Amino acid sequence: MHYAELKQAREELTGPGGMFEIVRTDVLGRDVLAYRNAPGSVRDMWRATAAFADRDYLVYRDERLTYRDAHRQVDAVAAWLWARGVRPGDRVGIAMRNYPEWMLAYWACVSIGVAAVGLNAWWTAEEMAYALDDARPAFLFLDAERLARLRERPGMGDGIGLIGVRLSGAEPDVTPWADVVAHGGAMPDADIDPDADACIFYTSGTTGHAKGAQLTHRGCVTNLFNMLYSGASTARAMELATGVAPPAEPPAPPVTLLTTPLFHVTANNCGAYLTTAAGGTLVLMYRWDAGEALRLIADERVSSMSGVPTMAREIINHPAFATTDTSSLLALAGGGAQVPPDLVQRIDAEVGTARPSTGYGMTETCGIITSVGGDFFVDRPDSAGPAMPAYETMCVDDDGNPVPPGAIGELWVKGAAVIKGYINRPDATAATITDGWLHTGDIARIDGDGFIFVVDRKKDMVLRGGENIYCAEVEATIYRHTAIAECCVFGVPDERLGEEVGVAVVAKPGATVSIDALRDHCAALTARHKVPRYVWILDEPLPRNASGKFLKRELRARLVPSPIT
């Protein structure tokens, strides 16, 4: 493989005068790496897209908005907020499904220096009340479902101006979206500090209250440049290796199918930012459905699908996949969770025009830390790829000391994309960020080419009789069984060994698998102590959170009291 060429491409692109030149700079008192040529703020990035005036921007069902339409509405929303005294440093909440209004409200907020607070649309009334009390937004854009949830707790929205999106009728104390847009007006002038909050996104923890991460303007545009660099470095490396220059004509604008919620960085900071900056089209879904996704891919000529890996697997496994025109797809996989190696191979083999790709990152880095795709991903399918050049990385032991090169430890990263902290949680901020180094909570190793291999979440590791067993490795083995559609591995308390390996699996439609057959499959491919002792074969999909990740703690709490052996 062309790893020497990838290194050369990195040096060319990030060196003095390069498109992605890297410099050291002070960010919030932290000496970090940053891109010299990145926009000064998200406002600058969004305003530049006015040049794409008549291109399609947002597609939702039978609705289509051009960039001209979007800028007109964004300007109007920003002017309406400004006229009501909202100023840089204030916060405005967004609580709705992936409607076009989500993106329009978001761009309006960040363009006037207001932090957009993305509220999880799956939250209960209690969770929603906590976040509103935590973030204290001046206004809240919300749809009918979230309005009904807010009404469940009298007083929850007191003091917050409510703007209703796609409501069926008039509601007391709620301003309709149409009235806000009818306000009209030009985009207000606003001076924006690069290190001011662009948005507050709540981490998707499954225990305790979620933490509101402060994603800055600098962090968000750094992540955009990380995404752009990833594609440019791979293309340049392949050109150096093959001698074949890319086509002289510019590529067609991307068409991205967003399948995960916009209140998470996978859809918003990665999928939406990258496509928007390139003048592409965002295709939105009301909810995830593999059959509907296939229809949209064919009808809208989708070139990439932004989602979690389980969605790519469902696309390939769907009965309509073989008869659907997917020839427009150039990339398939996404991020938000580790892509099992078998899925990398299946995408490469079964989707004729698409190459597998992934980005590993987290809310606390405004998006990706690493990215890999194409031949490099196929060659190292168990890797998350190299860290983007605006990061320093190291793996550390439990005491925070660097481990030897190639050894396993917790991954720490440092760079301009690392969040400022968590609102109202100085304790959590101090525990997560040390001298600018973000503790990812992921166990990883870094090879000689700088590729990062994420072994597992630090707390998802099964410790069986003193042996460390990494859940991702066991899941990758189970996915090699042809009957398995979904699986989730976790630790089960054991009096003798401390923990045993447990797994919940769902078979593909029409397929069957027995517990003994699954154990025999694992025993043939991995060490005996890694073979699951506890197996649950379920007939309904595994529970997921709003971003599509399996809820391991929920599964464990539900299943462990009565294991099937």
Side-chain angles (χ1 to χ4, degrees):
M1 266 304 294
H2 315 302
Y3 295 104
E5 289 82 1
L6 187 63
K7 180 180 179 181
Q8 181 181 342
R10 187 183 187 105
E11 292 170 349
E12 290 180 6
L13 292 169
T14 63
M19 181 186 306
F20 299 94
E21 181 179 351
I22 291 291
V23 296
R24 300 203 74 92
T25 190
D26 180 85
V27 176
L28 303 169
R30 309 167 185 167
D31 179 42
V32 300
L33 301 177
Y35 293 105
R36 179 185 294 278
N37 300 320
S41 68
V42 181
R43 173 192 171 101
D44 294 342
M45 171 253 167
W46 167 249
R47 298 297 287 167
T49 67
F52 305 129
D54 294 321
R55 293 186 188 178
D56 281 346
Y57 178 42
L58 297 171
V59 175
Y60 176 70
R61 294 183 172 175
D62 60 351
E63 303 172 30
R64 309 184 85 85
L65 275 74
T66 65
Y67 277 83
R68 190 188 310 278
D69 298 329
H71 273 269
R72 179 182 61 81
Q73 293 196 40
V74 167
D75 288 358
V77 172
W80 187 91
L81 291 170
W82 196 269
R84 281 148 186 81
V86 178
R87 291 293 184 271
D90 291 338
R91 297 173 184 152
V92 169
I94 307 174
M96 67 182 82
R97 289 185 180 269
N98 280 15
Y99 294 130
E101 290 86 350
W102 206 109
M103 289 305 316
L104 301 175
Y106 178 86
W107 295 129
C109 290
V110 297
S111 293
I112 56 174
V114 171
V117 182
L119 301 180
N120 190 318
W122 289 18
W123 275 339
T124 64
E126 180 180 349
E127 292 166 323
M128 189 174 175
Y130 170 81
L132 290 176
D133 184 63
D134 187 47
R136 299 188 179 277
F139 288 89
L140 175 63
F141 293 89
L142 76 176
D143 61 10
E145 293 171 271
R146 262 42 64 181
L147 179 60
R149 203 160 298 162
L150 183 137
R151 302 289 199 213
E152 292 177 20
R153 292 174 66 100
M156 189 199 298
D158 288 356
I160 302 174
L162 303 179
I163 302 99
V165 173
R166 299 178 185 255
L167 305 184
S168 58
E171 289 280 351
D173 303 319
V174 179
T175 303
W177 173 269
D179 289 1
V180 174
V181 172
H183 176 275
M187 173 65 69
D189 291 328
D191 292 325
I192 298 175
D193 181 346
D195 297 316
D197 296 343
C199 51
I200 308 294
F201 280 177
Y202 281 82
T203 56
S204 55
T206 54
T207 59
H209 289 303
K211 302 187 294 289
Q214 298 170 274
L215 286 66
T216 66
H217 283 260
R218 189 193 304 269
C220 291
V221 297
T222 296
N223 182 68
L224 170 62
F225 261 50
N226 283 336
M227 301 282 292
L228 292 169
Y229 166 82
S230 177
S233 61
T234 299
R236 178 57 178 154
M238 297 309 294
E239 179 183 0
L240 290 169
T242 64
V244 178
E249 65 276 7
V255 179
T256 300
L257 178 62
L258 293 183
T259 59
T260 54
L262 284 163
F263 50 78
H264 285 318
V265 294
T266 300
N268 188 74
N269 291 46
C270 298
Y273 267 64
L274 185 64
T275 302
T276 302
T281 303
L282 297 175
V283 181
L284 306 176
M285 299 182 73
Y286 181 75
R287 65 164 59 92
W288 168 250
D289 177 85
E292 175 65 4
L294 281 167
R295 184 191 69 79
L296 289 169
I297 288 169
D299 291 354
E300 298 295 338
R301 306 299 295 161
V302 168
S303 56
S304 68
M305 191 180 89
S306 171
V308 294
T310 52
M311 294 174 175
R313 189 182 295 278
E314 289 177 8
I315 286 282
I316 296 174
N317 286 342
H318 196 277
F321 173 72
T323 57
T324 300
D325 180 6
T326 59
S327 61
S328 59
L329 276 177
L330 301 177
L332 183 63
Q338 188 167 345
V339 183
D342 79 293
L343 182 57
V344 178
Q345 306 298 337
R346 287 192 65 190
I347 292 171
D348 203 47
E350 299 179 32
V351 189
T353 55
R355 303 308 309 278
S357 64
T358 191
Y360 156 71
M362 53 200 307
T363 303
E364 287 84 351
T365 57
C366 298
I368 63 171
I369 296 170
T370 72
S371 181
V372 65
D375 289 350
F376 294 103
F377 198 16
V378 173
D379 187 58
R380 295 182 182 175
D382 52 343
S383 170
M388 296 297 94
Y391 285 110
E392 297 171 271
T393 61
M394 65 177 175
C395 291
V396 303
D397 61 21
D398 289 341
D399 296 320
N401 301 311
V403 299
I408 288 175
E410 183 185 1
L411 179 66
W412 287 13
V413 301
K414 184 179 183 182
V418 171
I419 61 168
K420 182 187 298 183
Y422 303 107
I423 58 172
N424 307 320
R425 295 291 298 274
D427 54 336
T429 300
T432 304
I433 304 172
T434 302
D435 297 328
W437 288 96
L438 174 75
H439 310 182
T440 68
D442 287 320
I443 298 170
R445 64 180 177 87
I446 306 173
D447 73 9
D449 293 312
F451 276 58
I452 294 175
F453 295 75
V454 179
V455 180
D456 212 334
R457 285 291 302 168
K458 188 174 184 180
K459 294 183 180 179
D460 280 345
M461 183 181 70
V462 178
L463 184 60
R464 180 187 184 275
E467 291 285 344
N468 293 338
I469 300 172
Y470 302 116
C471 299
E473 179 184 357
V474 181
E475 289 168 350
T477 298
I478 293 170
Y479 272 128
R480 293 173 65 179
H481 193 293
T482 57
I484 300 302
E486 296 180 346
C487 76
C488 184
V489 172
F490 47 84
V492 177
D494 183 84
E495 184 175 348
R496 187 172 67 90
L497 297 171
E499 284 186 311
E500 276 278 11
V501 179
V503 62
V505 301
V506 178
K508 294 176 183 176
T512 59
V513 62
S514 70
I515 292 174
D516 288 342
L518 193 63
R519 286 180 177 146
D520 289 344
H521 165 81
C522 293
L525 297 171
T526 192
R528 177 65 62 179
H529 69 276
K530 299 178 184 177
V531 175
R533 176 179 175 185
Y534 300 107
V535 179
W536 294 264
I537 298 176
L538 307 180
D539 56 9
E540 73 274 0
L542 301 181
R544 304 180 188 183
N545 64 13
S547 61
K549 299 179 185 178
F550 295 135
L551 293 170
K552 291 195 176 189
R553 292 183 181 89
E554 179 179 313
L555 270 172
R556 182 163 43 224
R558 191 178 89 199
L559 299 175
V560 166
S562 56
I564 301 171
T565 59

